[in-house]
Each structure stands twice: as structure tokens, then as C-alpha cells.
Amino acid sequence: MLSGLGRLIHRRRWTSLVLILIMTGVAGAWGLGVFAKFKEGGFEDPDASSTLVAKLGATYFGSTNPDVLVLYSSDTMTVDDPRFEASVVTTIARLPRARVDEIISYWSFNGEAARTFASHDRHSTFVAVKLKGTEGADKSENYHAVKDSLAAPGLDVRYGGSVPLGEEFGQQVVADIVRAETITALPLLILLVILFGAVTASVLPIFVGVFSTVGGLAVLHVVTYAADVTSFALEVVTMMGVGLAIDYSLFIISRFREELQRGMTAQGLPPGKPWKRERDKAARKAAKEAHRTALKPIREAALAATMATAGRTIMVSGVTVSAALAGLLLFPQMFLRTIGLAGIATVMVAVFGATVLLPTLLALLGPRVEGGQMWWRRPSAKRARRDPESGFWYRLGHSVMKHPLPYFAVVLVILGVMFVPFLNVQFGSVDARVLPKDSPTRAVVETIKRDFPNGTVEPIDVVVSGDLIPRDWTPSGKGDPIPPYLEQFRKQLASLPGVTEAQFTGYSGSYGGVRISVTHKYEPMDQRAQDLVTKIRAMSLTKDGYPMHIDVGGSTAGQMDLMSSLMRSLPKMALVVGVATFVLLFMFFGSIVLPLKAIVMNVLSIGASFGAIVWGFQYGHLAGLLDFTPTGGVEATSMILILAVVFGLSMDYEVFLLSRIREEWDLTHDNRVAVASGMQHTGGIITSAALLFLLVIAAFSMAGITVVKLIGVGMFVAVVVDAALVRSLLVPATMRFMGAANWWLPGFLAGLHARMDLRERTVLVPDGATVAPPRLPDEQPFPYAIDWAESTPPPPGTVPANGNGRPDTVEPKAPSGMAPEAPADVPRARQRADANAAFQAEPQPNGDASPKLVFQSAAGGAGPRRASEPDGAPWAPWADGPPQPVPRPAPRTRRVIVPNADGSGWHWGEEEDTP
């Protein structure tokens, strides 16, 4: 199927290119609309009690988190100065009621209630503004309409609150993406040139990365119509889209070059532009046309082979990564669900770019993919002529196969040490500290917390509701008696350990509920604050024997509900992702052991990554290097996101490695040979892919938002651990221990696997392909296909025409029914019919001299002419006897790992592989 897709793309390459360009233009125009559709938040469980309290506060009681906080300050005046009061009150009184719903200031209260609105030095105050509108876009529009009107003459003005905070968060996301793309563009191109050794080949992955980014934005815009999407998803989608696109491109381009070179070598087609060596223009033109004609089937076959091997692996990898991201859909948090949807779609866009756009470009370029070739890539370079078995990955594979136990033990110790910090993990929530230190919105929040009474207090909101709440009672009304059962409940709350105050802060007759805010002396994430929430939720309240509803909210309760929700959903995610991954790898590798081993190895990579995150962010060891404020904890939903993304990325490299090992196992059925050869062929490519991905991730690790830094560092560590330790050392060592058990497949599953087999299969240059042989010497520039070969002895008893030679002795005949053996040095899988059989070598006269290359054209182009046959002689069928049986392929040898006789290790040997 995929080989057919490769041939179709090659034949319709210009049509494919035009369609993709149109698709890219439409996607780009559509994708730009996503920036206006982002929503903030989404970290809470929509079904949790704390979420209900927050919604009730915003709808009925008035939000405790105002839309805009306006901080007014003066170096000379205090809030008690009439000039200070006149400046602020006059300013806020002029705000249009069509855009502002509520205003609360220092002068709205009397006595003790106003104390919290003035700073300790009384030189600053803040005004809480609630804007009209229920949607984020409406509030944002109203904010910009009144922002300039909030400036008070003679006072310093700064803006904070949820609306400015959300806007700055979105702007920072876009700035991070632009900076990341700018920083990585040139280093990425340089690294690609170094890895590919050719300028043209190095530019292609960037095209695919741009396509993936544009397509990812378009897909993200589509997702906004199905669910709310946070702007934070933009960074994650861009990071994954660019990184995976470049990784996939590396595998496709590398395999295409390998298959193209193999096909050209097998058919004797020289690289480069051999027609330029011809002397006259006509010969150059004829040779160029012959070269292009001969190259066409090779290019098509190479692209088909690439799609059937690397293309198949990339598709399986994309489905596997998508399966890991699909686990995010099982969580109720909007933040995780939308990133899961957008991530899956982005991975599919990257796969499409690597398996459709990139093959289209390769079909157009062909051998020109080597354009701008570096000196180390040229055939004459020492590196190109180096024995593959002398390379680093071959030697490393040899070492791991020889000493698997030390490698296994050392890697496990390293991973265990990296995991240890995670045992002390503390989970926290997202607040203004995720923004850069110089953020003006963050500065307002921190100033209020530092300089105002109760600035660090985050109360526990308790909402009591039910049909028996009196709908005609208002706690702020003068002389209105408080219902005894509500007052008694408030006193119970105030008497709890650690509580400093409990007061009524909201009432809704239409809803039938009241809100009581409970302030305490603990930090929001302190265990004692969490115990206080648990005690309040365990309380009960009745009136006349009828129970009332008690819902508890606030930051502490919200974080507790979030963790509870994540812990409930995490086992379901693990089960679904584990089963889906197992089934996919079973279909691809035809083993039940390798999928289990792959899942365990990925868990080890994730554990090391989590430990590094705790060490760097919770402990703050990376705060100086990455310039962020440590909060003493890590954000829980980000860890879940890292879990899904890192699991998919780790499985990505596992598929690349094991696919080649499986291919070698199918050829040799020798586990040690398959593992060593698989490492030799994929070690460099996997490492190169990891380097490219690390470069992309590193730029996002320098983002302005701490949560993005956290995700970037987590992914960075996971990729390094996975590529340098797990895939290179731990996986081959484990496979060495398990031996043939790696490929164990019970009989009852063999038939099932046969019907769903997804393994790679190499596609070679087809038989009968018409190609051009190496060019003739300059003194014989024949513009048509020829074949150069060593001279063959004449038939027995034949004297050459020049009479200088002696008759050859009669060669012994093969036994009856036996065919003469084919040359032993020709691999069975690579034997091909001679496309130039019409041109044979002329027998040479002197048997003692070295054979010479001569050229003999066929009479009439129908076949070879014997030296003893006169020109123009009639064709005599069976003149030399009846035709002989078709020669049977000679046995080939294969490389195997043979134990040393003294038991000290093993060495490479050869054994005959009879057909």
C-alpha cells in the first residue's frame, strides 16, 4: 500500500505539489483566526465542588477574583489625603456603566472593612473593577474601552487582575513562539547541514516543519469550535509539530538516499552528472537524456522502498504517539483535553508532511537532493570510504553485546538516582508567578500580597444552599436579623483550629444560597490548610430537619479537587494507553515480549524526567539558569501532559530502533546479529533526530512562562535519557539477556498477527529496469547503453581470430540435472537480470595476460555474436547443443556472532545460508 503511494506520488509529483501549496495557503489563512479564540484557565475539574463555588461566585455572589485590579500609588500622598481621594473617586465615577458592572474601593467601606484596601504605609490603594459580559472576549473588549479612563491624575497607575493577566499570558505565548523559532532557525539549519552533508537535503525538513506549524494552527482553530482551548496549547502544539516533523523528515530523507544509492549502484548508474564529461554537445545531450531515462525507474523504486520502510515506521510511530496523547482525553480538565485533541491532530499533520509533502519534494529532486554536497559526504572522502563496521555505533553494539550486565546495571543506577527527587514531589497551582519577573501584571499581584493587609490570605469559600434559604434576607441590610441556623454555622466555622475569621460575603435570593469566606493563617497549599478544607466538607447543616448543601471552594479546595480528579483518571489513562500501545507494537513487531519491554523502558525514561523536574523546579536548582521564581511545587496538569508527550516520544524512538532490528531478525534469525546490526543502522539516525528535537525543545525551555519551561526541561531530559541511555544501552542489553525470547509469539496469536502484520519490507529496484552503465572512456564516447565486463575464455577448442592464443582446455561439466553455480560473491537478494545482455565482452587472446575490458555490440541488437561466427551468418538455433537449465542462485553467507573458544567473549564470523 505505502509503496504504491510512493509510486503514485512520483508519477503525480507536480499535481501533488500544487495541491499541497493550495492546502498550505488555505490552512495558513484559516489558522490565523485561532489567536482570537483562546480561553484562559481550564486547569480545574468541571464537576468538582470548588468549581461550582467559583461559578456561583462569578454569577450570583460577585467574584472574589476581580476582572481588573487598578493599583494607585503616590510617593507623597496617603489614602487619607483628600487630594488622593478626589483623584481616585473622580476617575472611577466617570467609568461608563455600559461596560463596568461593579466598582469596589477603599472609600466604599467604613472602619475595619476598609483596612484591607490600603497598604501598610497607606501610600497605595487598589480598586476592584468587575466588567460587563460573560465571555472572555467581551470582558477584554470592555477592558480596553475603559483602560485609558482608569488613569488618575497625579498618581501612579498599574493594572492587574484576571483580564490583564490572561491577555499578558497570551501575548507571552506568542512572543515565546516567535523567539523560539528565531533562535533555532539558523542553528537548526547548520545542524541539518552537518547531519545530511548536503544543503538541499538539509532545507527539506524545514519546509516540512513550516507546513506542520501552519497545519497545526489550522487544526487548533478547528478544535476551538468543539471545546475551549487555552493559549498555552499553542506552545505545546508548535513544539511538537516542528520537532516531530524534523525527526520524521530525517528518517525519510536518510532512507531515500540509501535506497537511491543502492538502486544506482545495482544498475551501474554513476552518481552526479556524468554527461558533462563528454566532449561534444551532441554526445552530452544524448548522454544526459539517457541518464534521465535510466534514472526514472530507480527514483520511483527508491521512493516506493522508502515509503514501504521508513514511511511505514513513521505512520506507526505517529499512531503510537497519538495513542499516548489520546490518554489526555480521559481527563475532565479542559486544559488537558484540548491539548490532547490538538496534539493528536498536530502529530497527524506532521506525519502527512513527512509521508506526502516530503516524498513529493524528493520525487521532484531525485539525486539532486545531494545538491550543495559537503566534502565529507563526497564518495572520495575518507568518511565515505570507511568500513561501516569500524563506526562508533558498531563498536558500541559490539561492546553491549559482549558485556550486557555492566551496561544494564550502570544505566539502572543512573535512572534510579535521577528518579529519587520525585519521591518528594509537591504539587501546586498556577498563579501570576508563572509569568516573567518583569511582568507588570505579576508586579501588581505581588505588590498587593506583600504590602496590603490580608494580601497573602486566600480564604476558603463556603456556599450554603438549599430551598430553605430565606429569599428575602440580605446580610448587609441594616437591622435584618441573621437566621439563627446560618449564624450558628458561621460560628462553627470560626471556631475551627487555625481560622482567624469567618464572615458572610455574598447572598443570592434567586439562587437561594449564601457564601461564607473563612480566612486562616496557613499558606494555601499547606497541609494544615488542606486538613481544614477536609473538616469543613465533613460538616453538616440542617434546618427543621432538612439537610442543606455545603460546597467548599477557594484555591486550596480547588487544588485538592484537581489532584483527586487526576488520581481518578490516571489509572484509566495508563490502561488505555498501555493497551493501545501494546496492540500497535504487537502488530508491528510480531512479538508479545517487545511491546511489554518497550512500555517498561518508556516508564523508566519518564521517571528520570520527573525526577529532574522536581530537582530543577520544586527545589529551584534551575531558577538561576532559566530565570524563574520557584514556588516550592510543580503544576500537576503539566506533569500529566509531560507523561503523555514523553511516553509518545520515547515510543517514537523505540519504534525506529526495533523496526530495523526486526528487519535484520527476519533476515538472519540471530538475535545478537539483529540487535548489533539494528544499532549500527539506526544509532546515528536516532541520535541525530534526538539532537534536532533537543534544539527545538531547548528554545522553548527558555520561554517566559514557567510552565512552558517546565515542560521543555522535562521533555529535554527525557529525550536525552532515552536516546543516550535507554535506546543505546539499556534496550540492547535487555534484548541480549532475553535472546530469542524477544521474538516469542504463541501459536494462537501467530495467525492473528499474520492478518494484521505491519512490519517493514524492503523494496528493491525492480527486475528489468533499463539503466545506463558507467560511461565509456573519452576516446570512445558512444551515446548508447553498453556493458563493460572482464573477458571470458572462448569455447573449448576455439582459436581466436588473431591466432596468437592457444585453445582452452575443456572445462568439466556439471553433473546431470545440476546447474552451474552462480558467483558466490553476489548476494541472493540482489541478483538481477542483465539489462545490457545485448553487449558482451570479446574473448581475449592471451590467457596468461590480465583480462582486458572490451566492448562488443550485438548484431541487430538481438543478442551476442560469437567470435567464431562470421558476419551475416544465419541464425542457427541450438547450434551449440540444447539450452542448459537456468542457473540456480549460489548460496550466500551471512555474518553471525560466534562465541570465542576460550569463553572470553564473541567475534564476528560467517556461515553459509543455503537457499
Side-chain angles (χ1 to χ4, degrees), residues 266-599:
Q267 297 297 328
L269 194 62
K273 300 178 180 180
W275 60 85
K276 288 191 174 181
R277 303 178 218 172
E278 302 297 340
R279 292 181 175 179
D280 59 275
K281 184 176 180 180
R284 283 197 299 271
K285 183 177 180 181
K288 182 177 181 180
E289 186 64 29
H291 187 273
R292 287 183 175 179
T293 302
L295 185 62
K296 184 177 180 179
I298 297 178
R299 289 166 55 177
E300 182 176 335
L303 194 59
T306 300
M307 294 295 293
T309 52
R312 185 186 300 270
T313 300
I314 285 172
M315 285 194 171
V316 172
S317 172
V319 174
T320 306
V321 176
S322 299
L325 292 173
L328 298 176
L329 304 180
L330 301 176
F331 291 88
Q333 287 76 19
M334 180 265 287
F335 170 76
L336 295 176
R337 292 170 64 91
T338 55
I339 287 185
L341 286 172
I344 292 172
T346 302
V347 172
M348 293 296 102
V349 171
V351 171
F352 179 86
T355 56
V356 177
L357 170 60
L358 187 56
T360 300
L361 298 176
L362 293 175
L364 291 169
L365 292 172
R368 287 175 292 179
V369 73
E370 301 287 353
Q373 197 173 68
M374 299 293 107
W375 67 89
W376 61 82
R377 176 73 182 173
R378 294 168 185 166
S380 59
K382 181 180 179 181
R383 179 179 177 182
R385 293 182 281 108
R386 185 176 59 192
D387 183 1
E389 296 186 359
S390 66
F392 169 78
W393 290 106
Y394 178 84
R395 297 195 305 271
L396 179 62
H398 179 93
S399 179
V400 174
M401 292 291 100
K402 188 175 182 180
H403 308 290
L405 184 58
Y407 282 104
F408 182 83
V410 170
V411 172
L412 280 186
V413 169
I414 294 174
L415 296 179
V417 170
M418 295 183 67
F419 176 75
V420 167
F422 185 67
L423 299 176
N424 300 318
V425 64
Q426 296 291 329
F427 294 105
S429 57
V430 175
D431 55 30
R433 289 176 293 179
V434 302
L435 290 171
K437 293 180 180 179
D438 58 353
S439 164
T441 307
R442 173 181 170 177
V444 170
V445 175
E446 292 182 338
T447 300
I448 292 176
K449 285 188 174 183
R450 181 184 65 249
D451 298 339
F452 285 74
N454 299 329
T456 59
V457 174
E458 296 189 28
I460 299 172
D461 292 328
V462 182
V463 174
V464 180
S465 60
D467 292 338
L468 297 181
I469 290 292
R471 299 179 182 273
D472 57 351
W473 172 71
T474 304
S476 61
K478 295 182 179 180
D480 291 339
I482 298 175
Y485 68 95
L486 290 178
E487 177 63 20
Q488 181 63 30
F489 183 68
R490 186 195 67 78
K491 291 180 179 179
Q492 291 179 10
L493 294 174
S495 64
L496 291 174
V499 174
T500 58
E501 186 181 24
Q503 57 181 348
F504 294 103
T505 57
Y507 165 76
S508 173
S510 59
Y511 178 73
V514 295
R515 182 178 63 193
I516 304 174
S517 293
V518 180
T519 57
H520 54 84
K521 57 185 179 182
Y522 308 125
E523 289 294 326
M525 295 301 108
D526 191 290
Q527 184 60 46
R528 292 171 294 182
Q530 298 183 39
D531 294 339
L532 187 58
V533 171
T534 303
K535 290 179 182 179
I536 295 175
R537 285 178 169 173
M539 298 174 67
S540 61
L541 175 64
T542 60
K543 178 190 178 186
D544 300 331
Y546 292 96
M548 310 293 289
H549 297 288
I550 299 177
D551 296 293
V552 182
S555 59
T556 304
Q559 183 64 23
M560 293 173 63
D561 290 340
L562 172 63
M563 293 306 303
S564 177
S565 174
L566 295 179
M567 292 301 103
R568 288 195 307 269
S569 302
L570 189 59
K572 295 187 292 185
M573 172 191 177
L575 178 62
V576 171
V577 173
V579 171
T581 302
F582 178 87
V583 171
L584 286 170
L585 296 186
F586 164 76
M587 295 168 61
F588 195 57
F589 298 127
S591 167
I592 64 172
V593 176
L594 289 181
L596 294 176
K597 180 189 67 62
I599 292 173

Side-chain angles (χ1 to χ4, degrees), residues 15-16 18 28 33 199 231 303 430 447 479 494 529 573 668 670 687 754 762 773 888:
T15 303
S16 176
V18 171
V199 175
S231 59
L303 194 59
V430 175
T447 300
M573 172 191 177
T668 64
D670 188 309
T687 303
T762 302
R888 188 173 56 185

Side-chain angles (χ1 to χ4, degrees), residues 17-168:
L17 181 62
V18 171
L19 292 177
I20 290 175
L21 290 176
I22 295 174
M23 183 189 308
T24 304
V26 173
W30 169 257
L32 292 177
V34 72
F35 296 97
K37 296 293 187 69
F38 288 133
K39 304 292 179 66
E40 297 309 317
F43 296 93
E44 69 280 350
D45 181 356
D47 299 325
S49 173
S50 57
T51 306
L52 175 62
V53 171
K55 291 180 179 178
L56 292 175
T59 306
Y60 296 102
F61 306 127
S63 176
T64 56
N65 185 21
D67 297 324
V68 182
L69 278 175
V70 189
L71 182 64
Y72 295 102
S73 304
S74 173
D75 295 332
T76 58
M77 296 182 292
T78 66
V79 294
D80 304 310
D81 192 313
R83 294 173 298 173
F84 195 115
E85 178 183 0
S87 179
V88 174
V89 172
T90 303
T91 298
I92 60 179
R94 300 175 60 183
L95 296 177
R97 289 297 177 183
R99 297 186 181 275
V100 177
D101 190 39
E102 184 181 8
I103 302 173
I104 303 176
S105 69
Y106 171 78
W107 298 276
S108 302
F109 302 95
N110 294 320
E112 186 67 18
R115 182 179 63 88
T116 59
F117 283 81
S119 62
H120 295 298
D121 62 3
R122 306 191 68 78
H123 281 274
S124 300
T125 186
F126 65 86
V127 174
V129 180
K130 184 179 180 181
L131 300 169
K132 295 280 188 180
T134 57
E135 297 293 331
D138 297 334
K139 289 181 178 292
S140 180
E141 180 183 353
N142 291 330
Y143 167 64
H144 286 285
V146 302
K147 182 178 179 180
D148 294 338
S149 301
L150 290 170
L155 300 177
D156 177 65
V157 183
R158 287 184 290 174
Y159 305 97
S162 59
V163 173
L165 184 68
E167 287 196 351
E168 185 175 350

Side-chain angles (χ1 to χ4, degrees), residues 888-911:
R888 188 173 56 185
R892 66 173 184 175
T893 59
R894 60 187 177 121
R895 297 183 62 82
V896 296
I897 298 177
V898 182
N900 294 336
D902 58 359
S904 61
W906 54 273
H907 63 276
W908 286 105
E910 294 185 350
E911 71 176 15

